Amino acid sequence: MKQAHTPQRTMKQPDALPPAQPLTLQLETFIPYQLSVLSNRVSQAISAEYYRRFGLVMTEWRTMCVLGRFPGLSASEVAERTAMDKVAVSRAVARLLERELVSRDIHGDDRRRSVLALSAKGQAMHDQVAPLVLACEQRLLSVLDEEELAQLHTLIGRLGGEGMNRLLSGLQGMPMSPVSSAQVNPPPA
């Protein structure tokens, strides 16, 4: 007996996917880049002013600021608080010591550990530079109303806290560039 011919069903093959397009990183909308550019521009503008008036470079002023707020830190602790390179902080400390703006003392309990503080001359300079940089900050932020300024502080706090935690947890196991851990995750002020 002859079997009836039943046509076989064929499944339609899916259309081929278009070749993947390479991702394009548009720096002008990449938030880390925007933050970096803004930070660099603001820091350069302000530091140019205190360099002109007081002969301080950015690393020196930041070191003085931290020591003005937290006297008795080591150079390593200054580097951690500022997220600056230890070598840059060491050079800044050497220049500040040479100019007698900072004093170095031995830690009471650990004779191997030296701690830093502003000298009287350093404190006097700090007291002149601080109002200058605060006035610069005011001019920068004058484009924001109170609500926007509060939002900015909240958002910066969130990015520096939970945002950084998520970023770092997503990078675990990935090779890191030669950036110090202080630069990636500076301690709270």
Side-chain angles (χ1 to χ4, degrees):
M1 180 173 346
K2 193 173 181 190
Q3 291 187 338
H5 178 69
T6 42
Q8 289 188 337
R9 290 186 157 191
T10 59
M11 295 185 67
K12 181 180 177 194
Q13 295 296 320
D15 294 334
L17 295 175
Q21 297 295 316
L23 291 176
T24 302
L25 177 62
Q26 296 178 354
L27 286 177
E28 62 277 3
T29 59
F30 184 58
I31 296 295
Y33 177 79
Q34 290 177 314
L35 291 172
S36 177
V37 169
L38 178 61
S39 174
N40 289 342
R41 291 180 65 204
V42 169
S43 294
Q44 289 168 2
I46 295 172
S47 68
E49 189 61 18
Y50 57 71
Y51 178 78
R52 184 181 69 76
R53 292 190 191 187
F54 302 97
L56 293 171
V57 297
M58 191 181 319
T59 53
E60 294 166 351
W61 170 243
R62 288 184 180 172
T63 298
M64 289 180 69
C65 276
V66 169
L67 293 175
R69 180 134 162 79
F70 305 101
L73 297 179
S74 68
S76 291
E77 291 168 326
V78 170
E80 287 174 18
R81 284 203 176 269
T82 59
M84 292 189 298
D85 180 71
K86 287 181 182 181
V87 173
V89 171
S90 180
R91 288 184 186 135
V93 166
R95 287 189 300 266
L96 293 169
L97 285 166
E98 188 177 296
R99 290 181 65 184
E100 299 178 346
L101 297 171
V102 167
S103 63
R104 184 188 324 243
D105 202 358
I106 302 301
H107 187 273
D109 296 336
D110 184 354
R111 305 215 41 88
R112 296 170 295 162
R113 182 174 178 247
S114 64
V115 292
L116 305 164
L118 293 178
S119 65
K121 183 178 172 183
Q123 186 64 56
M125 184 176 286
H126 177 278
D127 294 348
Q128 290 180 296
V129 179
L132 167 76
V133 299
L134 288 170
C136 290
E137 178 194 42
Q138 278 303 116
R139 286 194 300 277
L140 174 69
L141 297 176
S142 68
V143 299
L144 303 177
D145 63 31
E146 285 184 34
E147 184 179 327
E148 290 170 325
L149 184 57
Q151 282 182 314
L152 178 63
H153 282 290
T154 299
L155 294 172
I156 288 172
R158 287 179 62 195
L159 289 173
E162 184 60 25
M164 279 303 299
N165 290 340
R166 289 183 186 190
L167 170 65
L168 294 174
S169 70
L171 295 176
Q172 288 178 350
M174 296 180 79
M176 292 290 286
S177 66
V179 174
S180 77
S181 62
Q183 289 171 308
V184 173
N185 199 10

mmCIF file of all heavy atoms in Angstrom, residues 64-95:
data_model
loop_
_atom_site.group_PDB
_atom_site.id
_atom_site.type_symbol
_atom_site.label_atom_id
_atom_site.label_comp_id
_atom_site.label_asym_id
_atom_site.label_seq_id
_atom_site.Cartn_x
_atom_site.Cartn_y
_atom_site.Cartn_z
ATOM 1 N N MET A 64 47.103 71.961 53.461
ATOM 2 C CA MET A 64 46.855 72.934 54.528
ATOM 3 C C MET A 64 45.406 72.880 54.998
ATOM 4 O O MET A 64 45.134 72.982 56.199
ATOM 5 C CB MET A 64 47.215 74.343 54.056
ATOM 6 C CG MET A 64 48.701 74.582 53.909
ATOM 7 S SD MET A 64 49.073 76.263 53.347
ATOM 8 C CE MET A 64 48.592 77.220 54.799
ATOM 9 N N CYS A 65 44.478 72.727 54.066
ATOM 10 C CA CYS A 65 43.049 72.654 54.426
ATOM 11 C C CYS A 65 42.782 71.466 55.344
ATOM 12 O O CYS A 65 42.098 71.605 56.360
ATOM 13 C CB CYS A 65 42.195 72.502 53.176
ATOM 14 S SG CYS A 65 41.824 74.042 52.392
ATOM 15 N N VAL A 66 43.302 70.313 54.959
ATOM 16 C CA VAL A 66 43.075 69.116 55.758
ATOM 17 C C VAL A 66 43.706 69.279 57.133
ATOM 18 O O VAL A 66 43.094 68.946 58.155
ATOM 19 C CB VAL A 66 43.611 67.864 55.030
ATOM 20 C CG1 VAL A 66 43.622 66.653 55.944
ATOM 21 C CG2 VAL A 66 42.771 67.571 53.797
ATOM 22 N N LEU A 67 44.918 69.811 57.185
ATOM 23 C CA LEU A 67 45.580 69.990 58.479
ATOM 24 C C LEU A 67 44.906 71.080 59.310
ATOM 25 O O LEU A 67 44.929 71.015 60.546
ATOM 26 C CB LEU A 67 47.066 70.301 58.284
ATOM 27 C CG LEU A 67 47.884 69.147 57.699
ATOM 28 C CD1 LEU A 67 49.313 69.605 57.431
ATOM 29 C CD2 LEU A 67 47.849 67.929 58.618
ATOM 30 N N GLY A 68 44.307 72.053 58.668
ATOM 31 C CA GLY A 68 43.561 73.070 59.391
ATOM 32 C C GLY A 68 42.330 72.480 60.064
ATOM 33 O O GLY A 68 41.925 72.898 61.136
ATOM 34 N N ARG A 69 41.747 71.494 59.433
ATOM 35 C CA ARG A 69 40.541 70.849 59.980
ATOM 36 C C ARG A 69 40.881 69.666 60.868
ATOM 37 O O ARG A 69 40.185 69.387 61.838
ATOM 38 C CB ARG A 69 39.661 70.403 58.815
ATOM 39 C CG ARG A 69 38.379 69.726 59.231
ATOM 40 C CD ARG A 69 37.204 70.256 58.448
ATOM 41 N NE ARG A 69 36.056 69.380 58.515
ATOM 42 C CZ ARG A 69 35.218 69.311 59.545
ATOM 43 N NH1 ARG A 69 35.432 70.048 60.604
ATOM 44 N NH2 ARG A 69 34.189 68.498 59.516
ATOM 45 N N PHE A 70 41.938 68.939 60.517
ATOM 46 C CA PHE A 70 42.320 67.724 61.237
ATOM 47 C C PHE A 70 43.817 67.768 61.573
ATOM 48 O O PHE A 70 44.615 67.048 60.955
ATOM 49 C CB PHE A 70 42.021 66.469 60.396
ATOM 50 C CG PHE A 70 40.607 66.370 59.933
ATOM 51 C CD1 PHE A 70 40.264 66.713 58.620
ATOM 52 C CD2 PHE A 70 39.605 65.938 60.784
ATOM 53 C CE1 PHE A 70 38.956 66.619 58.181
ATOM 54 C CE2 PHE A 70 38.290 65.844 60.352
ATOM 55 C CZ PHE A 70 37.959 66.190 59.051
ATOM 56 N N PRO A 71 44.233 68.578 62.518
ATOM 57 C CA PRO A 71 45.664 68.627 62.860
ATOM 58 C C PRO A 71 46.124 67.293 63.445
ATOM 59 O O PRO A 71 45.322 66.550 64.021
ATOM 60 C CB PRO A 71 45.753 69.747 63.900
ATOM 61 C CG PRO A 71 44.373 69.950 64.395
ATOM 62 C CD PRO A 71 43.431 69.459 63.346
ATOM 63 N N GLY A 72 47.396 67.006 63.255
ATOM 64 C CA GLY A 72 47.954 65.788 63.826
ATOM 65 C C GLY A 72 47.895 64.577 62.922
ATOM 66 O O GLY A 72 48.073 63.451 63.385
ATOM 67 N N LEU A 73 47.667 64.776 61.645
ATOM 68 C CA LEU A 73 47.663 63.664 60.696
ATOM 69 C C LEU A 73 49.067 63.424 60.162
ATOM 70 O O LEU A 73 49.882 64.339 60.078
ATOM 71 C CB LEU A 73 46.738 63.963 59.516
ATOM 72 C CG LEU A 73 45.256 64.149 59.789
ATOM 73 C CD1 LEU A 73 44.524 64.472 58.494
ATOM 74 C CD2 LEU A 73 44.655 62.914 60.444
ATOM 75 N N SER A 74 49.311 62.212 59.729
ATOM 76 C CA SER A 74 50.552 61.913 59.011
ATOM 77 C C SER A 74 50.358 62.309 57.545
ATOM 78 O O SER A 74 49.224 62.537 57.096
ATOM 79 C CB SER A 74 50.865 60.426 59.101
ATOM 80 O OG SER A 74 49.905 59.676 58.375
ATOM 81 N N ALA A 75 51.449 62.345 56.798
ATOM 82 C CA ALA A 75 51.349 62.655 55.366
ATOM 83 C C ALA A 75 50.493 61.607 54.655
ATOM 84 O O ALA A 75 49.708 61.941 53.761
ATOM 85 C CB ALA A 75 52.736 62.742 54.745
ATOM 86 N N SER A 76 50.603 60.350 55.050
ATOM 87 C CA SER A 76 49.783 59.287 54.440
ATOM 88 C C SER A 76 48.300 59.518 54.707
ATOM 89 O O SER A 76 47.468 59.300 53.827
ATOM 90 C CB SER A 76 50.181 57.917 54.982
ATOM 91 O OG SER A 76 51.461 57.564 54.533
ATOM 92 N N GLU A 77 47.986 59.954 55.912
ATOM 93 C CA GLU A 77 46.591 60.221 56.237
ATOM 94 C C GLU A 77 46.067 61.428 55.468
ATOM 95 O O GLU A 77 44.903 61.452 55.063
ATOM 96 C CB GLU A 77 46.437 60.429 57.748
ATOM 97 C CG GLU A 77 46.661 59.149 58.543
ATOM 98 C CD GLU A 77 46.804 59.390 60.037
ATOM 99 O OE1 GLU A 77 47.359 60.434 60.444
ATOM 100 O OE2 GLU A 77 46.367 58.514 60.802
ATOM 101 N N VAL A 78 46.920 62.419 55.234
ATOM 102 C CA VAL A 78 46.528 63.559 54.401
ATOM 103 C C VAL A 78 46.221 63.058 52.990
ATOM 104 O O VAL A 78 45.209 63.440 52.384
ATOM 105 C CB VAL A 78 47.611 64.660 54.384
ATOM 106 C CG1 VAL A 78 47.301 65.715 53.328
ATOM 107 C CG2 VAL A 78 47.759 65.294 55.760
ATOM 108 N N ALA A 79 47.083 62.187 52.460
ATOM 109 C CA ALA A 79 46.874 61.635 51.118
ATOM 110 C C ALA A 79 45.549 60.884 51.044
ATOM 111 O O ALA A 79 44.801 61.024 50.069
ATOM 112 C CB ALA A 79 48.034 60.724 50.736
ATOM 113 N N GLU A 80 45.234 60.110 52.077
ATOM 114 C CA GLU A 80 43.973 59.366 52.093
ATOM 115 C C GLU A 80 42.775 60.304 52.115
ATOM 116 O O GLU A 80 41.808 60.103 51.393
ATOM 117 C CB GLU A 80 43.924 58.445 53.313
ATOM 118 C CG GLU A 80 44.841 57.248 53.207
ATOM 119 C CD GLU A 80 44.884 56.426 54.491
ATOM 120 O OE1 GLU A 80 43.962 56.578 55.334
ATOM 121 O OE2 GLU A 80 45.832 55.635 54.639
ATOM 122 N N ARG A 81 42.826 61.332 52.941
ATOM 123 C CA ARG A 81 41.687 62.259 53.064
ATOM 124 C C ARG A 81 41.463 63.082 51.806
ATOM 125 O O ARG A 81 40.331 63.467 51.519
ATOM 126 C CB ARG A 81 41.895 63.189 54.250
ATOM 127 C CG ARG A 81 41.626 62.509 55.549
ATOM 128 C CD ARG A 81 41.281 63.532 56.610
ATOM 129 N NE ARG A 81 40.923 62.856 57.827
ATOM 130 C CZ ARG A 81 39.688 62.507 58.152
ATOM 131 N NH1 ARG A 81 38.687 62.817 57.386
ATOM 132 N NH2 ARG A 81 39.448 61.877 59.281
ATOM 133 N N THR A 82 42.535 63.401 51.092
ATOM 134 C CA THR A 82 42.419 64.259 49.914
ATOM 135 C C THR A 82 42.305 63.486 48.610
ATOM 136 O O THR A 82 42.054 64.087 47.568
ATOM 137 C CB THR A 82 43.644 65.188 49.798
ATOM 138 O OG1 THR A 82 44.823 64.373 49.713
ATOM 139 C CG2 THR A 82 43.738 66.144 50.965
ATOM 140 N N ALA A 83 42.522 62.173 48.664
ATOM 141 C CA ALA A 83 42.559 61.337 47.459
ATOM 142 C C ALA A 83 43.657 61.791 46.515
ATOM 143 O O ALA A 83 43.556 61.635 45.306
ATOM 144 C CB ALA A 83 41.200 61.295 46.754
ATOM 145 N N MET A 84 44.721 62.364 47.082
ATOM 146 C CA MET A 84 45.884 62.759 46.284
ATOM 147 C C MET A 84 46.954 61.680 46.398
ATOM 148 O O MET A 84 47.013 60.938 47.380
ATOM 149 C CB MET A 84 46.454 64.111 46.759
ATOM 150 C CG MET A 84 45.546 65.286 46.497
ATOM 151 S SD MET A 84 46.313 66.913 46.815
ATOM 152 C CE MET A 84 46.697 66.863 48.548
ATOM 153 N N ASP A 85 47.822 61.644 45.422
ATOM 154 C CA ASP A 85 48.928 60.712 45.396
ATOM 155 C C ASP A 85 49.867 60.982 46.570
ATOM 156 O O ASP A 85 50.156 62.138 46.896
ATOM 157 C CB ASP A 85 49.673 60.887 44.059
ATOM 158 C CG ASP A 85 50.848 59.963 43.948
ATOM 159 O OD1 ASP A 85 50.638 58.748 43.792
ATOM 160 O OD2 ASP A 85 51.993 60.460 44.029
ATOM 161 N N LYS A 86 50.364 59.917 47.204
ATOM 162 C CA LYS A 86 51.248 60.065 48.363
ATOM 163 C C LYS A 86 52.517 60.844 48.020
ATOM 164 O O LYS A 86 53.000 61.627 48.837
ATOM 165 C CB LYS A 86 51.619 58.695 48.931
ATOM 166 C CG LYS A 86 50.493 58.016 49.663
ATOM 167 C CD LYS A 86 50.937 56.680 50.224
ATOM 168 C CE LYS A 86 49.781 55.993 50.919
ATOM 169 N NZ LYS A 86 50.169 54.713 51.501
ATOM 170 N N VAL A 87 53.045 60.631 46.834
ATOM 171 C CA VAL A 87 54.263 61.343 46.434
ATOM 172 C C VAL A 87 53.972 62.841 46.307
ATOM 173 O O VAL A 87 54.762 63.676 46.756
ATOM 174 C CB VAL A 87 54.835 60.768 45.120
ATOM 175 C CG1 VAL A 87 55.993 61.603 44.606
ATOM 176 C CG2 VAL A 87 55.248 59.312 45.317
ATOM 177 N N ALA A 88 52.829 63.179 45.729
ATOM 178 C CA ALA A 88 52.458 64.595 45.588
ATOM 179 C C ALA A 88 52.282 65.240 46.954
ATOM 180 O O ALA A 88 52.718 66.377 47.175
ATOM 181 C CB ALA A 88 51.177 64.722 44.767
ATOM 182 N N VAL A 89 51.664 64.515 47.890
ATOM 183 C CA VAL A 89 51.484 65.043 49.240
ATOM 184 C C VAL A 89 52.838 65.196 49.924
ATOM 185 O O VAL A 89 53.099 66.210 50.581
ATOM 186 C CB VAL A 89 50.538 64.159 50.075
ATOM 187 C CG1 VAL A 89 50.532 64.573 51.542
ATOM 188 C CG2 VAL A 89 49.129 64.213 49.503
ATOM 189 N N SER A 90 53.703 64.233 49.749
ATOM 190 C CA SER A 90 55.032 64.299 50.356
ATOM 191 C C SER A 90 55.796 65.531 49.861
ATOM 192 O O SER A 90 56.438 66.237 50.652
ATOM 193 C CB SER A 90 55.813 63.021 50.030
ATOM 194 O OG SER A 90 57.082 63.063 50.601
ATOM 195 N N ARG A 91 55.697 65.793 48.580
ATOM 196 C CA ARG A 91 56.358 66.993 48.020
ATOM 197 C C ARG A 91 55.727 68.270 48.564
ATOM 198 O O ARG A 91 56.420 69.234 48.874
ATOM 199 C CB ARG A 91 56.281 66.973 46.497
ATOM 200 C CG ARG A 91 57.177 65.950 45.860
ATOM 201 C CD ARG A 91 57.134 66.047 44.342
ATOM 202 N NE ARG A 91 57.899 64.957 43.767
ATOM 203 C CZ ARG A 91 57.504 64.208 42.763
ATOM 204 N NH1 ARG A 91 56.330 64.425 42.193
ATOM 205 N NH2 ARG A 91 58.254 63.243 42.296
ATOM 206 N N ALA A 92 54.404 68.276 48.648
ATOM 207 C CA ALA A 92 53.712 69.446 49.189
ATOM 208 C C ALA A 92 54.119 69.681 50.636
ATOM 209 O O ALA A 92 54.398 70.820 51.028
ATOM 210 C CB ALA A 92 52.198 69.255 49.084
ATOM 211 N N VAL A 93 54.178 68.623 51.425
ATOM 212 C CA VAL A 93 54.581 68.748 52.832
ATOM 213 C C VAL A 93 56.000 69.296 52.918
ATOM 214 O O VAL A 93 56.284 70.185 53.729
ATOM 215 C CB VAL A 93 54.448 67.392 53.566
ATOM 216 C CG1 VAL A 93 55.163 67.414 54.910
ATOM 217 C CG2 VAL A 93 52.982 67.019 53.739
ATOM 218 N N ALA A 94 56.890 68.801 52.083
ATOM 219 C CA ALA A 94 58.279 69.282 52.101
ATOM 220 C C ALA A 94 58.332 70.781 51.811
ATOM 221 O O ALA A 94 59.058 71.527 52.487
ATOM 222 C CB ALA A 94 59.120 68.506 51.090
ATOM 223 N N ARG A 95 57.566 71.244 50.830
ATOM 224 C CA ARG A 95 57.553 72.680 50.504
ATOM 225 C C ARG A 95 56.926 73.494 51.634
ATOM 226 O O ARG A 95 57.383 74.588 51.957
ATOM 227 C CB ARG A 95 56.831 72.916 49.176
ATOM 228 C CG ARG A 95 57.636 72.463 47.965
ATOM 229 C CD ARG A 95 57.000 72.891 46.644
ATOM 230 N NE ARG A 95 55.660 72.365 46.456
ATOM 231 C CZ ARG A 95 55.354 71.248 45.806
ATOM 232 N NH1 ARG A 95 56.314 70.509 45.279
ATOM 233 N NH2 ARG A 95 54.105 70.856 45.667
#
